[in-house]
Amino acid sequence: MDPESRTNGTAVTEFILLGLVETPGLRPVVFVVFLLAYLLTVGGNLSILAAILVETKLHTPMYFFLGNLSVLDVGCITVTVPSMLARLLSHKHTVPYGACLTQLFFFHQLAGVDCFLLTAMAYDRFLAICQPLAYSTRMSQTVQRILVAVSWALAFTNALTHTVAISTLNFCGPNVINHFYCDLPQLFQLSCSSTQLNELLLFGLGILMAGAPVILIVTSYIHVAAAVLQIRSAEGRKKAFSTCGSHLTVVGIFYGTGVFSYMRLGSVEASDKDKGIGILNTVISPMLNPLIYSLRNPDVQGALWQVLTGKRALA
């Protein structure tokens, strides 16, 4: 291939990720903070998973989905943070073109499963509170497994579609990404071919991947709220709202950061804000999930105590 025709194709073989800080003196601080955040997130989520496995009280559909959510949180932070830490240690900011697209694929795969899993958890709360007599049949182990399998399949289709679509774009320079991981909005800004179709695809699939789940979650919780308000005992209402409150907090953080990340395309000036939202999305949210779900839940706290000490918590 001659040089002239090559300039019309993807001449960029690697991207430069600027990371979170460009000041060399701050890099050790950022490394320590994010290493601790990574260890806390992995430790916290694996502890929740272990607690769910060892405590028979937690062998329910809600905790089955929560266990899957913990695995996803570990995966989500592992896709982005270790490579960032490696770049901070080596002072090498480059990432090969293929590795960039691979990171993008796995990030969207895991985040996509998260979308549907949070919806399945809302459906579980709806059945448990609004239709308790039909709960055991409508949320059987087979149904739980089907919901998780369908979540993975739909997320895979979405992630593969975006990865294939972006691989058709030409990148002929510049190749500097002002972020700490590869993602669609930042790559759109660098492409030297039209990204209109890709942006339409992101918007269209975004409605399917996020819009539809949000509508289902909101609908489920409108029914749940109506049913809970009819419970006569204050203790019963408190218990129902506490399990729903944890889930709604996680939903709010997850979808809030997602909307900010992908609904403001083409804004180069927003790069530093995007880094902050990226930290919320990939680090803070997975780190907070174990805390949110265990903070007001005595069953989870007791199981965690057993996992960490080997002893059962006193009733």
Side-chain angles (χ1 to χ4, degrees):
M1 189 183 282
D2 63 274
E4 279 187 22
S5 63
R6 185 167 168 73
T7 57
N8 295 327
T10 297
V12 169
T13 57
E14 60 184 20
F15 294 101
I16 296 166
L17 285 168
L18 293 182
L20 289 171
V21 287
E22 292 176 57
T23 313
L26 288 174
R27 282 177 195 154
V29 177
V30 171
F31 179 85
V32 171
V33 168
F34 277 82
L35 177 62
L36 285 173
Y38 179 72
L39 295 173
L40 276 170
T41 304
V42 172
N45 281 289
L46 292 182
S47 297
I48 289 278
L49 190 60
I52 291 165
L53 291 171
V54 301
E55 178 55 76
T56 50
K57 267 191 198 174
L58 303 181
H59 292 176
T60 64
M62 185 174 79
Y63 292 107
F64 171 74
F65 293 128
L66 180 56
N68 277 276
L69 195 68
S70 293
V71 172
L72 286 173
D73 284 338
V74 170
C76 223
I77 197 169
T78 301
V79 164
T80 54
V81 172
S83 57
M84 182 196 79
L85 295 175
R87 281 191 296 275
L88 281 169
L89 272 183
S90 64
H91 304 293
K92 186 186 174 188
H93 298 288
T94 56
V95 56
Y97 174 82
C100 195
L101 293 198
T102 303
Q103 185 181 50
L104 184 144
F105 169 80
F106 280 109
F107 179 72
H108 281 269
Q109 166 73 56
L110 295 165
V113 181
D114 239 328
C115 285
F116 295 117
L117 214 53
L118 290 169
T119 313
M121 290 171 86
Y123 177 60
D124 171 72
R125 291 299 82 209
F126 163 74
L127 288 179
I129 293 167
C130 301
Q131 299 180 8
L133 297 177
Y135 181 67
S136 57
T137 50
R138 291 197 181 181
M139 196 47 82
S140 63
Q141 281 196 348
T142 307
V143 172
Q144 293 166 45
R145 286 167 187 160
I146 288 169
L147 285 170
V148 171
V150 169
S151 298
W152 277 92
L154 290 171
F156 175 80
T157 307
N158 174 66
L160 189 65
T161 303
H162 284 308
T163 309
V164 170
I166 206 152
S167 69
T168 64
L169 296 179
N170 296 327
F171 295 94
C172 33
N175 65 338
V176 178
I177 299 172
N178 186 18
H179 214 309
F180 63 98
Y181 62 93
C182 294
D183 204 1
L184 294 169
Q186 289 74 34
L187 289 173
F188 290 167
Q189 289 166 11
L190 296 181
S191 175
C192 50
S193 50
S194 173
T195 60
Q196 197 173 3
L197 199 63
N198 296 72
E199 289 179 24
L200 279 171
L201 193 65
L202 180 59
F203 186 75
L205 286 175
I207 289 169
L208 288 174
M209 294 292 294
V214 164
I215 290 166
L216 290 170
I217 290 167
V218 169
T219 306
S220 294
Y221 276 110
I222 288 169
H223 285 97
V224 165
V228 169
L229 290 172
Q230 287 173 2
I231 297 172
R232 289 184 180 177
S233 74
E235 190 58 39
R237 282 199 300 271
K238 188 182 172 186
K239 191 178 178 183
F241 272 129
S242 71
T243 58
C244 298
S246 302
H247 181 243
L248 279 172
T249 306
V250 172
V251 167
I253 294 168
F254 180 78
Y255 282 105
T257 55
V259 166
F260 275 107
S261 293
Y262 301 110
M263 294 298 130
R264 299 179 304 107
L265 296 174
S267 172
V268 180
E269 294 78 18
S271 292
D272 288 330
K273 286 180 187 173
D274 286 340
K275 286 185 193 179
I277 292 160
I279 293 167
L280 269 173
N281 228 348
T282 62
V283 183
I284 307 296
S285 181
M287 188 166 63
L288 285 179
N289 285 356
L291 271 176
I292 292 165
Y293 279 108
S294 63
L295 214 55
R296 293 165 65 192
N297 192 317
D299 290 338
V300 174
Q301 287 169 6
L304 278 171
W305 177 259
Q306 191 184 342
V307 166
L308 297 171
T309 64
K311 299 172 188 173
R312 280 202 169 270
L314 295 171

